[in-house]
Amino acid sequence: MRRNGAEDMSEDDERQQSPRSDLEFTSNKARYCKATGSASDHPDQVLENVLENVLHFLTSRRDRNSVSLVCKSWYRVEALTRSELFIGNCYAVSPGRATARFTRVRALHLKGKPRFADFNLMPPDWGAHFNPWLLAMAKPYPWLEKVYLKRMSVTNDDLATLAESFSGFKELVLVCCDGFGTNGLASFVSKCRQLRVLDLIESEVIHDGTDWISCFPQGESHLESLIFDCVEWPINFEALERLVARSPLLKKLRLNRYVSIGQLYRLMIQAPQLTHLGTGLFSPLEIAGQGDQELDYGTAFAACRSLVCLSGFREIIPDYLPAIYPVCANLTSLNFSYANINAEQLKPIISKCHKLRVFWVLDSICDEGLQAVAATCKELRELRVFPINAQEDIDSPVSEVGLQAISEGCQKLQSILYFCQRMTNEAVIAMSKNCPDLVVFRLCIMGRHKPDPVTGEPMDDGFGAIVMNCKKLTRLAVSGLLTDKAFEYIGKYGKLVRTLSVAFAGDSDMGLKYVLEGCSQLQKLEIRDSPFGDAALRSGLHHCYYMRFLWMSSCRLTRQGCQEIAHAMPRLVVEVIRSADMEMDDFVETLYMYRSLEGPRIDAPKYVTIL
Amino acid sequence: MEVGLKMGMKGGGLNHVGGCEKAKMGFAETELRLGLPGGGGSGEGEVVRKRGFSETVDLKLNLSSKESSGMDANDEKVKVLHKEKNLLPCATDPAKPPAKAQVVGWPPVRSFRKNVLATQKGSSEESSEKAAFVKVSMDGAPYLRKVDLRMYNSYQDLSDALAKMFGSFTIGNCGSQGMKDFMNESKLMDLLNDSDYVPTYEDKDGDWMLVGDVPWEMFVESCKRLRIMKGTEAIGLAPRAMEKCKNRS
């Protein structure tokens, strides 16, 4: 998956690679900087110039944050040389403050709503509007080239303004965003003449009726990446075909489900240089009649010699699967998470995927399918197993058997997301020992409060083993029956954990206390339906300024308790969110708390009370 | 024509209940005891018992399919959050569990993914076991037939199959243009007057509708029986079909 995909391996991964454009820009800037401020002016000026040239090469934002703390001079120079601005919470700092400090930004990476908003736990129109940022950037950043937004609200007008305000704009990536439609896309693509990347990932796109694909400007296009698999409306295929034909640099193309396999074929033969392909429907729109000639899809795939990432398969007909055999040996990423296939259908494919590093799949493949994965994919780094039936209390196609097999076969595993109906401590402990490189461990036992089905014990020991043995762990999501003991383990051993997700777990305030006191690197804590109350929160307050946010819904917090916290911590914004039909009572339904330099925001809707 | 996001809510395909027999796990031992809220300490006020697993399962069996499929309806635009307060005082009487057992946002799968998988049911092996057999009658024919709607992928396929079964009639043009035609009243009248026979169906609400007015998948989910009517008799249906379509869109 692209590192900008909906769920990054580790969201704040500081090992991000710098885009090529940054390096080009850097060397140009270096030459420019030498020209200003001659050596005879001031010895300090020389040092600053040198520093400026050096800092251009520093891309990691964590390193940059450290650099800016050295002294005022370094702070200034770092601010001048930061070209990619990352804001993890759009309300932590105002657009004006950001543009005032960082004056030469070319790329903005902005995140809005907290993750639990994805699961309908937050009423709509909560906020996270892109508009104020857009307006604030137009003048200070005329050379803005790239915008990456996650969980933000973007309107059609915003898209039009974006393209109009920045003539050199090149890359737009919208992940889990909403508020815009095909009209906005049409205005954006028609005005954005230098566009290289347009990636719409798991965003909700409104159908305004506009044929936006036809709005790309005529003539040769600079497009390198076009991802629109989340757009749930038909597109003009002929226009798309023409667009692909005039985009020689196109490397990434992810189609939506309105592109049939026959149409896919036509696109693939135009673009054999593709490296990332989302196949769309992967079945014909109508059953081929007897007289029709079946296209040789296999040759189309074989022609794509550079293909390393495959996804799509929205309405897969397994008969067509053999078409992808020619590319399996080169694949590093395969997303079957919409493909309802069983183990038998998976085996002939997965047995060829020796180089696979990222694999997303549905639990329809069962434990047997996972065993096949374990047998072949020795290079696997990331596995996600999604449920075909996202319900509790049904039979489990995957279980501890699959997890055990993966842990034994894929020992280089770094990231796992596993939905299941049953899991044992033994299998989780096995994974903790077999896969020491784990950075992300997210296990979702779908039945709430489910104990180990073999021993009847809570799942404390399993998760305890994970935090104890996986020394690089930075992200953890827990589930199943868990007592405070599990949190004691997490607090004691999870010293690198930055993101923790808790649901239906714990016995008492002690659970939360352990975590807040123990996990010194904790940045993002999201908790739902767990018996943690005011006392627990108070005990860990000192830590909250280091956290990006804390989310607690359906816990034991009282309004008074939250009020006290708001008083004690002036730099925290304490939002109490209630749903529309709930009375204001003593218990706080949802608490969303985050550090901010700006104080309470002015765009909060009625159902949000900022204490 | 909307096909995607709202589709999965019909038909309640997400409501299988199974595996109740798995509740032989010694739950007495694993039941957690919680104090009342504000009670603070760990396990002192052992008044509220968490609902055991078996109770959770029982609840589901009692729910009508409408209720639980309505729970997660309309993805992110839901205004009302029905939260289950399973930890707060209303659970003091474990024998009387709250009416809603399904919980918002759990399991944590994004609506987009849930919807995509729900609308795919037509092509999965699972649902070919629950094949959609409907009776087909034709005015004047001596006996009825039965067809499995899941064997077909489009109105054209169905039309061809029925034509083979019953001889001469036609659904007419069933491309997207054809569906637009159905929405156009005067064209509809022409079509009905011209054809010998016109296929109609009874939907979940018990209404008789003209075949072809909704997207194929929606039709398969909602069709309960088919009747091939004489064209002249079907004219009375047309205004109602139009009305229903307008209400839907």
Side-chain angles (χ1 to χ4, degrees), chain A residues 420-441:
Chain A
C420 59
Q421 296 285 354
R422 55 172 280 150
M423 183 52 58
T424 60
N425 279 308
E426 187 186 350
V428 177
I429 293 169
M431 176 156 270
S432 77
K433 293 181 178 159
N434 293 334
C435 304
D437 292 339
L438 274 178
V439 173
V440 175
F441 184 80

PDB file of all heavy atoms in Angstrom, chain A residues 420-441:
ATOM      1  N   CYS A 420     -11.533 -11.306  14.323  1.00  0.00           N
ATOM      2  CA  CYS A 420     -11.890 -12.708  14.476  1.00  0.00           C
ATOM      3  C   CYS A 420     -12.984 -12.831  15.515  1.00  0.00           C
ATOM      4  O   CYS A 420     -13.321 -11.878  16.189  1.00  0.00           O
ATOM      5  CB  CYS A 420     -10.678 -13.531  14.904  1.00  0.00           C
ATOM      6  SG  CYS A 420      -9.967 -12.951  16.457  1.00  0.00           S
ATOM      7  N   GLN A 421     -13.538 -14.031  15.619  1.00  0.00           N
ATOM      8  CA  GLN A 421     -14.560 -14.249  16.636  1.00  0.00           C
ATOM      9  C   GLN A 421     -13.982 -14.977  17.832  1.00  0.00           C
ATOM     10  O   GLN A 421     -14.577 -14.990  18.902  1.00  0.00           O
ATOM     11  CB  GLN A 421     -15.721 -15.068  16.043  1.00  0.00           C
ATOM     12  CG  GLN A 421     -16.478 -14.381  14.929  1.00  0.00           C
ATOM     13  CD  GLN A 421     -17.403 -13.284  15.436  1.00  0.00           C
ATOM     14  OE1 GLN A 421     -17.582 -13.096  16.629  1.00  0.00           O
ATOM     15  NE2 GLN A 421     -17.993 -12.558  14.506  1.00  0.00           N
ATOM     16  N   ARG A 422     -12.844 -15.635  17.621  1.00  0.00           N
ATOM     17  CA  ARG A 422     -12.249 -16.323  18.752  1.00  0.00           C
ATOM     18  C   ARG A 422     -10.736 -16.279  18.669  1.00  0.00           C
ATOM     19  O   ARG A 422     -10.159 -16.341  17.582  1.00  0.00           O
ATOM     20  CB  ARG A 422     -12.740 -17.759  18.876  1.00  0.00           C
ATOM     21  CG  ARG A 422     -12.564 -18.620  17.659  1.00  0.00           C
ATOM     22  CD  ARG A 422     -12.910 -20.065  17.952  1.00  0.00           C
ATOM     23  NE  ARG A 422     -11.811 -20.750  18.626  1.00  0.00           N
ATOM     24  CZ  ARG A 422     -11.984 -21.754  19.476  1.00  0.00           C
ATOM     25  NH1 ARG A 422     -13.197 -22.181  19.761  1.00  0.00           N
ATOM     26  NH2 ARG A 422     -10.950 -22.345  20.030  1.00  0.00           N
ATOM     27  N   MET A 423     -10.123 -16.183  19.843  1.00  0.00           N
ATOM     28  CA  MET A 423      -8.674 -16.081  19.908  1.00  0.00           C
ATOM     29  C   MET A 423      -8.215 -16.602  21.258  1.00  0.00           C
ATOM     30  O   MET A 423      -8.872 -16.403  22.276  1.00  0.00           O
ATOM     31  CB  MET A 423      -8.242 -14.605  19.752  1.00  0.00           C
ATOM     32  CG  MET A 423      -6.759 -14.370  19.722  1.00  0.00           C
ATOM     33  SD  MET A 423      -5.857 -15.380  18.516  1.00  0.00           S
ATOM     34  CE  MET A 423      -6.652 -14.928  16.995  1.00  0.00           C
ATOM     35  N   THR A 424      -7.061 -17.258  21.265  1.00  0.00           N
ATOM     36  CA  THR A 424      -6.529 -17.772  22.527  1.00  0.00           C
ATOM     37  C   THR A 424      -5.295 -16.986  22.934  1.00  0.00           C
ATOM     38  O   THR A 424      -4.580 -16.421  22.106  1.00  0.00           O
ATOM     39  CB  THR A 424      -6.100 -19.246  22.380  1.00  0.00           C
ATOM     40  OG1 THR A 424      -5.092 -19.319  21.363  1.00  0.00           O
ATOM     41  CG2 THR A 424      -7.282 -20.124  22.007  1.00  0.00           C
ATOM     42  N   ASN A 425      -5.032 -16.973  24.217  1.00  0.00           N
ATOM     43  CA  ASN A 425      -3.810 -16.342  24.719  1.00  0.00           C
ATOM     44  C   ASN A 425      -2.586 -17.018  24.114  1.00  0.00           C
ATOM     45  O   ASN A 425      -1.602 -16.364  23.778  1.00  0.00           O
ATOM     46  CB  ASN A 425      -3.744 -16.440  26.245  1.00  0.00           C
ATOM     47  CG  ASN A 425      -4.590 -15.378  26.923  1.00  0.00           C
ATOM     48  OD1 ASN A 425      -4.457 -14.198  26.625  1.00  0.00           O
ATOM     49  ND2 ASN A 425      -5.474 -15.806  27.803  1.00  0.00           N
ATOM     50  N   GLU A 426      -2.690 -18.325  23.967  1.00  0.00           N
ATOM     51  CA  GLU A 426      -1.542 -19.084  23.485  1.00  0.00           C
ATOM     52  C   GLU A 426      -1.083 -18.585  22.120  1.00  0.00           C
ATOM     53  O   GLU A 426       0.111 -18.403  21.870  1.00  0.00           O
ATOM     54  CB  GLU A 426      -1.936 -20.563  23.396  1.00  0.00           C
ATOM     55  CG  GLU A 426      -0.771 -21.473  23.074  1.00  0.00           C
ATOM     56  CD  GLU A 426      -1.218 -22.916  22.858  1.00  0.00           C
ATOM     57  OE1 GLU A 426      -2.399 -23.226  23.155  1.00  0.00           O
ATOM     58  OE2 GLU A 426      -0.394 -23.721  22.401  1.00  0.00           O
ATOM     59  N   ALA A 427      -2.058 -18.349  21.235  1.00  0.00           N
ATOM     60  CA  ALA A 427      -1.682 -17.912  19.893  1.00  0.00           C
ATOM     61  C   ALA A 427      -1.084 -16.511  19.920  1.00  0.00           C
ATOM     62  O   ALA A 427      -0.129 -16.210  19.206  1.00  0.00           O
ATOM     63  CB  ALA A 427      -2.901 -17.938  18.968  1.00  0.00           C
ATOM     64  N   VAL A 428      -1.640 -15.648  20.754  1.00  0.00           N
ATOM     65  CA  VAL A 428      -1.126 -14.280  20.828  1.00  0.00           C
ATOM     66  C   VAL A 428       0.281 -14.284  21.413  1.00  0.00           C
ATOM     67  O   VAL A 428       1.187 -13.590  20.951  1.00  0.00           O
ATOM     68  CB  VAL A 428      -2.065 -13.386  21.671  1.00  0.00           C
ATOM     69  CG1 VAL A 428      -1.501 -11.990  21.799  1.00  0.00           C
ATOM     70  CG2 VAL A 428      -3.446 -13.332  21.045  1.00  0.00           C
ATOM     71  N   ILE A 429       0.478 -15.120  22.419  1.00  0.00           N
ATOM     72  CA  ILE A 429       1.817 -15.225  23.018  1.00  0.00           C
ATOM     73  C   ILE A 429       2.802 -15.757  21.978  1.00  0.00           C
ATOM     74  O   ILE A 429       3.940 -15.271  21.876  1.00  0.00           O
ATOM     75  CB  ILE A 429       1.789 -16.143  24.262  1.00  0.00           C
ATOM     76  CG1 ILE A 429       0.974 -15.486  25.376  1.00  0.00           C
ATOM     77  CG2 ILE A 429       3.203 -16.438  24.756  1.00  0.00           C
ATOM     78  CD1 ILE A 429       0.656 -16.390  26.541  1.00  0.00           C
ATOM     79  N   ALA A 430       2.355 -16.743  21.197  1.00  0.00           N
ATOM     80  CA  ALA A 430       3.223 -17.293  20.160  1.00  0.00           C
ATOM     81  C   ALA A 430       3.637 -16.189  19.190  1.00  0.00           C
ATOM     82  O   ALA A 430       4.802 -16.082  18.798  1.00  0.00           O
ATOM     83  CB  ALA A 430       2.507 -18.419  19.414  1.00  0.00           C
ATOM     84  N   MET A 431       2.676 -15.364  18.794  1.00  0.00           N
ATOM     85  CA  MET A 431       3.018 -14.294  17.857  1.00  0.00           C
ATOM     86  C   MET A 431       4.015 -13.326  18.482  1.00  0.00           C
ATOM     87  O   MET A 431       4.932 -12.845  17.815  1.00  0.00           O
ATOM     88  CB  MET A 431       1.751 -13.551  17.402  1.00  0.00           C
ATOM     89  CG  MET A 431       2.080 -12.383  16.503  1.00  0.00           C
ATOM     90  SD  MET A 431       0.747 -11.892  15.408  1.00  0.00           S
ATOM     91  CE  MET A 431       1.073 -12.906  13.993  1.00  0.00           C
ATOM     92  N   SER A 432       3.839 -13.051  19.778  1.00  0.00           N
ATOM     93  CA  SER A 432       4.755 -12.107  20.430  1.00  0.00           C
ATOM     94  C   SER A 432       6.180 -12.635  20.400  1.00  0.00           C
ATOM     95  O   SER A 432       7.144 -11.867  20.351  1.00  0.00           O
ATOM     96  CB  SER A 432       4.316 -11.834  21.863  1.00  0.00           C
ATOM     97  OG  SER A 432       4.668 -12.913  22.708  1.00  0.00           O
ATOM     98  N   LYS A 433       6.329 -13.938  20.420  1.00  0.00           N
ATOM     99  CA  LYS A 433       7.678 -14.513  20.428  1.00  0.00           C
ATOM    100  C   LYS A 433       8.225 -14.730  19.028  1.00  0.00           C
ATOM    101  O   LYS A 433       9.418 -14.558  18.781  1.00  0.00           O
ATOM    102  CB  LYS A 433       7.672 -15.848  21.178  1.00  0.00           C
ATOM    103  CG  LYS A 433       7.401 -15.678  22.660  1.00  0.00           C
ATOM    104  CD  LYS A 433       7.422 -16.999  23.393  1.00  0.00           C
ATOM    105  CE  LYS A 433       7.193 -16.765  24.887  1.00  0.00           C
ATOM    106  NZ  LYS A 433       6.725 -17.972  25.577  1.00  0.00           N
ATOM    107  N   ASN A 434       7.329 -15.109  18.108  1.00  0.00           N
ATOM    108  CA  ASN A 434       7.809 -15.406  16.759  1.00  0.00           C
ATOM    109  C   ASN A 434       8.048 -14.164  15.921  1.00  0.00           C
ATOM    110  O   ASN A 434       8.822 -14.206  14.961  1.00  0.00           O
ATOM    111  CB  ASN A 434       6.796 -16.299  16.027  1.00  0.00           C
ATOM    112  CG  ASN A 434       6.699 -17.673  16.649  1.00  0.00           C
ATOM    113  OD1 ASN A 434       7.644 -18.136  17.274  1.00  0.00           O
ATOM    114  ND2 ASN A 434       5.557 -18.322  16.498  1.00  0.00           N
ATOM    115  N   CYS A 435       7.363 -13.096  16.256  1.00  0.00           N
ATOM    116  CA  CYS A 435       7.443 -11.878  15.425  1.00  0.00           C
ATOM    117  C   CYS A 435       7.947 -10.706  16.255  1.00  0.00           C
ATOM    118  O   CYS A 435       7.186  -9.809  16.603  1.00  0.00           O
ATOM    119  CB  CYS A 435       6.068 -11.549  14.841  1.00  0.00           C
ATOM    120  SG  CYS A 435       5.336 -12.889  13.902  1.00  0.00           S
ATOM    121  N   PRO A 436       9.204 -10.696  16.547  1.00  0.00           N
ATOM    122  CA  PRO A 436       9.747  -9.662  17.435  1.00  0.00           C
ATOM    123  C   PRO A 436       9.783  -8.277  16.808  1.00  0.00           C
ATOM    124  O   PRO A 436       9.943  -7.287  17.529  1.00  0.00           O
ATOM    125  CB  PRO A 436      11.176 -10.162  17.713  1.00  0.00           C
ATOM    126  CG  PRO A 436      11.509 -11.018  16.541  1.00  0.00           C
ATOM    127  CD  PRO A 436      10.239 -11.637  16.086  1.00  0.00           C
ATOM    128  N   ASP A 437       9.616  -8.203  15.505  1.00  0.00           N
ATOM    129  CA  ASP A 437       9.664  -6.901  14.830  1.00  0.00           C
ATOM    130  C   ASP A 437       8.340  -6.170  14.824  1.00  0.00           C
ATOM    131  O   ASP A 437       8.235  -5.106  14.218  1.00  0.00           O
ATOM    132  CB  ASP A 437      10.113  -7.072  13.370  1.00  0.00           C
ATOM    133  CG  ASP A 437      11.552  -7.503  13.268  1.00  0.00           C
ATOM    134  OD1 ASP A 437      12.308  -7.298  14.247  1.00  0.00           O
ATOM    135  OD2 ASP A 437      11.926  -8.058  12.220  1.00  0.00           O
ATOM    136  N   LEU A 438       7.342  -6.712  15.479  1.00  0.00           N
ATOM    137  CA  LEU A 438       6.019  -6.090  15.426  1.00  0.00           C
ATOM    138  C   LEU A 438       6.047  -4.654  15.929  1.00  0.00           C
ATOM    139  O   LEU A 438       6.516  -4.363  17.026  1.00  0.00           O
ATOM    140  CB  LEU A 438       5.014  -6.881  16.273  1.00  0.00           C
ATOM    141  CG  LEU A 438       4.316  -8.056  15.595  1.00  0.00           C
ATOM    142  CD1 LEU A 438       3.400  -8.759  16.581  1.00  0.00           C
ATOM    143  CD2 LEU A 438       3.502  -7.591  14.393  1.00  0.00           C
ATOM    144  N   VAL A 439       5.508  -3.776  15.097  1.00  0.00           N
ATOM    145  CA  VAL A 439       5.383  -2.360  15.443  1.00  0.00           C
ATOM    146  C   VAL A 439       3.915  -2.023  15.723  1.00  0.00           C
ATOM    147  O   VAL A 439       3.599  -1.189  16.547  1.00  0.00           O
ATOM    148  CB  VAL A 439       5.910  -1.495  14.270  1.00  0.00           C
ATOM    149  CG1 VAL A 439       5.648  -0.019  14.527  1.00  0.00           C
ATOM    150  CG2 VAL A 439       7.376  -1.741  14.052  1.00  0.00           C
ATOM    151  N   VAL A 440       3.031  -2.701  14.983  1.00  0.00           N
ATOM    152  CA  VAL A 440       1.598  -2.445  15.099  1.00  0.00           C
ATOM    153  C   VAL A 440       0.896  -3.766  15.372  1.00  0.00           C
ATOM    154  O   VAL A 440       1.013  -4.701  14.574  1.00  0.00           O
ATOM    155  CB  VAL A 440       1.053  -1.852  13.783  1.00  0.00           C
ATOM    156  CG1 VAL A 440      -0.465  -1.705  13.844  1.00  0.00           C
ATOM    157  CG2 VAL A 440       1.700  -0.514  13.482  1.00  0.00           C
ATOM    158  N   PHE A 441       0.173  -3.844  16.497  1.00  0.00           N
ATOM    159  CA  PHE A 441      -0.572  -5.060  16.796  1.00  0.00           C
ATOM    160  C   PHE A 441      -2.006  -4.666  17.131  1.00  0.00           C
ATOM    161  O   PHE A 441      -2.265  -4.057  18.164  1.00  0.00           O
ATOM    162  CB  PHE A 441       0.051  -5.822  17.971  1.00  0.00           C
ATOM    163  CG  PHE A 441      -0.634  -7.145  18.249  1.00  0.00           C
ATOM    164  CD1 PHE A 441      -0.339  -8.265  17.473  1.00  0.00           C
ATOM    165  CD2 PHE A 441      -1.575  -7.267  19.264  1.00  0.00           C
ATOM    166  CE1 PHE A 441      -0.987  -9.480  17.705  1.00  0.00           C
ATOM    167  CE2 PHE A 441      -2.220  -8.477  19.508  1.00  0.00           C
ATOM    168  CZ  PHE A 441      -1.915  -9.588  18.723  1.00  0.00           C
TER     169      PHE A 441
END
